[in-house]
Amino acid sequence: MVKLTDIARKLNISPSTVSRALNQKGRISPELRRLILETADEFQYQPNEYARFLKTNQTTTIGVILPDISNIFYGKLLKGIDATARNNGFSVIFCDSDEDLANERTYYEMLKSKNVCGIVVAPAGVSDIYDNASAEDHIVFVDSAPSGSSSHPVITIDNYRAAYELTEHLVSLGRSRIYAIVGPRCETSANDRVRGYLDCLAAHGLPAEGHVFECEHDYASGVKAMQKILSLHTPDAIFTENNLLAYGALSVIRAYRLTIPSDLSIACFDASDDFGMMSVAFTTIIQPVAEFGKKAVELIVGMNHSQDSYQGPMEILMEYAFIRGQST
Amino acid sequence: MVKLTDIARKLNISPSTVSRALNQKGRISPELRRLILETADEFQYQPNEYARFLKTNQTTTIGVILPDISNIFYGKLLKGIDATARNNGFSVIFCDSDEDLANERTYYEMLKSKNVCGIVVAPAGVSDIYDNASAEDHIVFVDSAPSGSSSHPVITIDNYRAAYELTEHLVSLGRSRIYAIVGPRCETSANDRVRGYLDCLAAHGLPAEGHVFECEHDYASGVKAMQKILSLHTPDAIFTENNLLAYGALSVIRAYRLTIPSDLSIACFDASDDFGMMSVAFTTIIQPVAEFGKKAVELIVGMNHSQDSYQGPMEILMEYAFIRGQST
DNA sequence: CTGAAAGCGCTTACAG
DNA sequence: CTGAAAGCGCTTACAG
């Protein structure tokens, strides 16, 4: 590795001058400057980030914590994060919390100890992990906040409105026994979706008592919840709060030999079907997840450029799409 | 951030001693050692990796370059990498090359300049990017090698045998007009698969001339290739080299209103269906992709622990699974 | 077994 | 506009 002093020695000048030329700081005669830049180029000089950090305490590394990278939803998110980071000269340290808050906490501590210049988190659930985080930690949440009153921005969609719209759609098709399978309501996004669903039912005078089945976010939970619903009730529509819950519910619906959508409609969030490979084309809300990633990185870049702490909105709502499929 | 000298001052000893105690190097009286570790714990001391690096030139960071993290295949790979890295105390710098060799090269240079302790690469294609890489760069390829003669280990399956087996299956069902849609044959894994396919046809005395349609790896390529095949021939079976090509081909098969598997069988690699959501249950070869990631990180950890350069095999073949679906 | 000192490759006041 | 010097937080020969 060629270093600063190598190019200083070659040019018979001091390392200080080379450093200033490279960092565009302080006054430098234009010719010298040009000469230094040329030589640096010729030598293929790459500043040693570790040494630089020791003085500046600044990195160009963004930390990312996601709950499950084998879920395509988060794959698209990471893709958006990575592309935007690259365009801004940042690199990405990736952490998969595996839906586990203990892992999430460990990763967060690790990222802090590495002095990353910002952290994008899709929380695995509700926690106090970030309660003592300061504004300088440059944390941005995506999809959901880890607790009700966050002092860090959250990038999401208007979950309340989207859920209302999805439910309204079911009602407009004449469905009246609409049951919901949702993730933990202590999570902000899940709760907003439940509220939208409930308010819509109420607005139409439809029953809602005991209609919400709360569970985890995964496939198996969808299976269990759907079994319970069918054993207790005779729904004519199902609302699920994410894609995996819908897939789990569907497997039970099939086992019961119910026909979609005639016997039962099903509508959900995030069930995109990029290659037309799904056996059911879901009516679904699609979140612009790559945009989430882009926006998150842009926020962090902005936080790093500005001296002041973040002044923007704490909730950043992106546009979603309502997709009418054949499941309703 | 509390630093080494803080705990040295607190204990009235020299930083050298603290460092030795923390790193288990050199002789230290057991009591002092215990005292130091306790104090470090109490202070929640985290060594500054940047300062440490400056002396040791060693990091605990693994670089990962994948072609497309929005493909679930690579999502599972990254998940395996991340979990194993975490278990070994390593962190992961993630890079999505977006199937672009120029990006891949840039990322590789970036990772080298960060002195990562190893790099896992699923190459975006054939390149000379790693031609001058030394054994100390600790590069491990996954899925495919970037060129024929690699001096770095490759983790994959026996692609030749898997392709042969898949083709043999089609033949055993009485199919004789079996066409193949494959990625660039200059890539080792694609080429091995084509060879397995061709050798199997030859072994059964079946025609193969002009039966191989070579294209890129993506969905659109699968569409185009399938259109071409159907415009020129009347296949009774299709072999595709990955999942996206199969999905693209399927969309054309449907447009032609052909029935699977009676009119046309289709078999492919990597079309896993974790949630039973696919409209076609493919007969497919499943690679143990999370295991790939685990193995890759283990290799890198081993390389870092050993003084000698890597002595193991340059091709590491993992077990695959043959899944009989309803597409054949 | 412990400490003083040098140095890793940068940056940045401080002089000039 | 340029240079000499100090220092970021560690580690590691070298003494003792």
Side-chain angles (χ1 to χ4, degrees), chain A residues 33-275:
Chain A
R33 171 102 179 288
R34 215 172 35 74
L35 188 59
I36 291 172
L37 293 183
E38 267 173 19
T39 322
D41 235 42
E42 179 192 334
F43 279 31
Q44 298 203 52
Y45 171 71
Q46 296 264 51
N48 182 318
E49 298 187 49
Y50 300 89
R52 171 180 280 172
F53 170 83
L54 222 46
K55 283 303 288 184
T56 63
N57 261 292
Q58 302 211 18
T59 63
T60 53
T61 304
I62 293 179
V64 176
I65 308 178
L66 305 182
D68 180 15
I69 193 58
S70 71
N71 183 337
I72 189 166
F73 180 82
Y74 295 111
K76 290 176 178 176
L77 177 58
L78 181 55
K79 186 133 185 149
I81 289 170
D82 181 88
T84 314
R86 185 195 324 141
N87 290 339
N88 285 279
F90 290 71
S91 54
V92 168
I93 295 187
F94 172 72
C95 311
D96 185 299
S97 69
D98 205 21
E99 303 275 11
D100 182 319
L101 285 172
N103 285 338
E104 185 174 324
R105 187 181 304 269
T106 308
Y107 273 135
Y108 170 63
E109 301 291 349
M110 182 270 280
L111 291 173
K112 282 221 329 191
S113 85
K114 281 189 189 291
N115 275 275
V116 292
C117 66
I119 306 183
V120 182
V121 185
V126 170
S127 77
D128 61 356
I129 297 175
Y130 312 94
D131 281 5
N132 299 318
S134 84
E136 288 101 71
D137 290 341
H138 299 330
I139 296 172
V140 176
F141 295 112
V142 163
D143 192 32
S144 184
S147 65
S149 62
S150 170
S151 49
H152 311 279
V154 184
I155 299 171
T156 181
I157 60 169
D158 186 336
N159 284 298
Y160 175 87
R161 189 161 65 86
Y164 198 109
E165 193 174 331
L166 206 53
T167 312
E168 181 92 47
H169 166 74
L170 293 168
V171 173
S172 77
L173 295 170
R175 307 290 161 147
S176 57
R177 303 186 304 279
I178 306 171
Y179 290 78
I181 305 176
V182 300
R185 283 194 67 175
C186 51
E187 298 178 16
T188 54
S189 64
N191 190 48
D192 289 348
R193 292 173 190 180
V194 176
R195 288 197 304 108
Y197 157 84
L198 289 173
D199 281 5
C200 181
L201 291 189
H204 291 278
L206 291 170
E209 182 88 22
H211 279 42
V212 175
F213 290 75
E214 200 173 329
C215 56
E216 292 305 312
H217 298 286
D218 56 307
Y219 180 86
S221 299
V223 171
K224 255 185 275 177
M226 193 67 216
Q227 283 168 338
K228 197 158 181 191
I229 291 175
L230 287 177
S231 70
L232 297 172
H233 309 286
T234 51
D236 58 15
I238 299 293
F239 166 107
T240 83
E241 194 240 317
N242 75 8
N243 53 348
L244 298 185
L245 292 173
Y247 304 158
L250 183 68
S251 76
V252 176
I253 293 170
R254 284 178 170 156
Y256 274 72
R257 308 219 176 278
L258 297 171
T259 306
I260 288 175
S262 53
D263 294 336
L264 197 54
S265 285
I266 181 164
C268 65
F269 278 68
D270 298 331
S272 69
D273 182 13
D274 299 331
F275 301 115

Side-chain angles (χ1 to χ4, degrees), chain A residues 14 16-17 20 27 29 32 54-55:
Chain A
S14 86
S16 326
T17 309
R20 274 188 295 256
R27 316 227 138 280
S29 73
L32 220 201
L54 222 46
K55 283 303 288 184

Side-chain angles (χ1 to χ4, degrees), chain B residues 9-305:
Chain B
R9 193 177 315 128
K10 160 88 173 185
L11 259 34
N12 257 318
I13 55 179
S14 85
S16 326
T17 309
V18 178
S19 172
R20 274 188 296 257
L22 259 23
N23 294 304
Q24 334 240 37
K25 278 186 183 163
R27 318 227 138 280
I28 293 255
S29 74
E31 318 93 90
L32 221 201
R33 169 101 179 288
R34 214 172 38 72
L35 188 60
I36 290 172
L37 293 183
E38 267 173 18
T39 322
D41 235 41
E42 179 192 332
F43 279 31
Q44 298 203 54
Y45 170 70
Q46 296 265 51
N48 181 319
E49 299 188 47
Y50 300 88
R52 171 180 280 173
F53 170 82
L54 222 47
K55 284 301 288 181
T56 63
N57 260 291
Q58 301 209 19
T59 64
T60 53
T61 305
I62 292 179
V64 177
I65 308 178
L66 305 182
D68 179 16
I69 194 59
S70 71
N71 182 338
I72 189 166
F73 179 83
Y74 295 110
K76 291 177 178 175
L77 176 59
L78 182 55
K79 186 131 184 150
I81 290 170
D82 181 89
T84 314
R86 184 196 324 141
N87 289 340
N88 285 279
F90 289 72
S91 53
V92 168
I93 296 189
F94 172 72
C95 312
D96 186 299
S97 68
D98 204 21
E99 303 275 11
D100 182 319
L101 286 172
N103 285 338
E104 185 175 323
R105 187 183 302 270
T106 307
Y107 273 135
Y108 170 63
E109 301 290 349
M110 182 270 280
L111 291 172
K112 281 221 329 192
S113 85
K114 280 188 187 293
N115 274 277
V116 293
C117 66
I119 306 182
V120 182
V121 185
V126 170
S127 77
D128 61 356
I129 297 175
Y130 313 94
D131 280 6
N132 299 317
S134 83
E136 288 100 70
D137 289 341
H138 298 331
I139 295 172
V140 176
F141 296 112
V142 163
D143 192 32
S144 184
S147 64
S149 62
S150 169
S151 49
H152 310 279
V154 183
I155 300 171
T156 180
I157 60 168
D158 186 336
N159 285 298
Y160 175 87
R161 188 160 67 86
Y164 197 109
E165 192 175 331
L166 207 52
T167 312
E168 182 94 46
H169 167 73
L170 293 169
V171 173
S172 77
L173 296 170
R175 306 291 160 146
S176 58
R177 301 185 306 278
I178 307 170
Y179 291 78
I181 305 176
V182 300
R185 283 195 66 176
C186 53
E187 298 178 16
T188 55
S189 65
N191 190 48
D192 289 349
R193 291 172 190 180
V194 176
R195 288 195 305 108
Y197 157 85
L198 289 174
D199 282 5
C200 181
L201 290 190
H204 291 279
L206 291 171
E209 181 87 24
H211 280 42
V212 175
F213 290 75
E214 201 174 328
C215 56
E216 291 305 311
H217 299 285
D218 56 307
Y219 180 86
S221 299
V223 170
K224 255 185 276 178
M226 193 68 214
Q227 283 168 337
K228 198 157 179 190
I229 291 174
L230 287 176
S231 70
L232 297 172
H233 310 285
T234 51
D236 58 15
I238 299 292
F239 167 106
T240 83
E241 193 240 316
N242 76 8
N243 54 348
L244 299 186
L245 291 173
Y247 304 159
L250 184 68
S251 77
V252 176
I253 293 169
R254 284 178 170 154
Y256 274 73
R257 307 219 178 279
L258 298 171
T259 307
I260 289 175
S262 53
D263 295 335
L264 198 53
S265 286
I266 181 164
C268 65
F269 278 67
D270 298 331
S272 68
D273 182 14
D274 299 331
F275 301 116
M277 287 304 302
M278 303 244 267
S279 49
V280 171
F282 282 97
T283 295
T284 187
I285 298 290
I286 299 294
Q287 303 189 69
V289 64
E291 294 298 313
F292 284 6
K294 178 163 186 276
K295 185 72 185 175
V297 173
E298 285 172 352
L299 280 184
I300 288 173
V301 171
M303 290 170 178
N304 278 277
H305 282 169

Side-chain angles (χ1 to χ4, degrees), chain A residues 272-307:
Chain A
S272 69
D273 182 13
D274 299 331
F275 301 115
M277 287 305 302
M278 303 244 267
S279 48
V280 172
F282 282 97
T283 294
T284 188
I285 298 290
I286 299 295
Q287 303 189 68
V289 64
E291 294 297 312
F292 284 8
K294 178 163 186 277
K295 185 73 185 173
V297 173
E298 285 171 353
L299 281 183
I300 288 174
V301 171
M303 290 170 177
N304 277 277
H305 283 168
S306 140
Q307 305 305 76

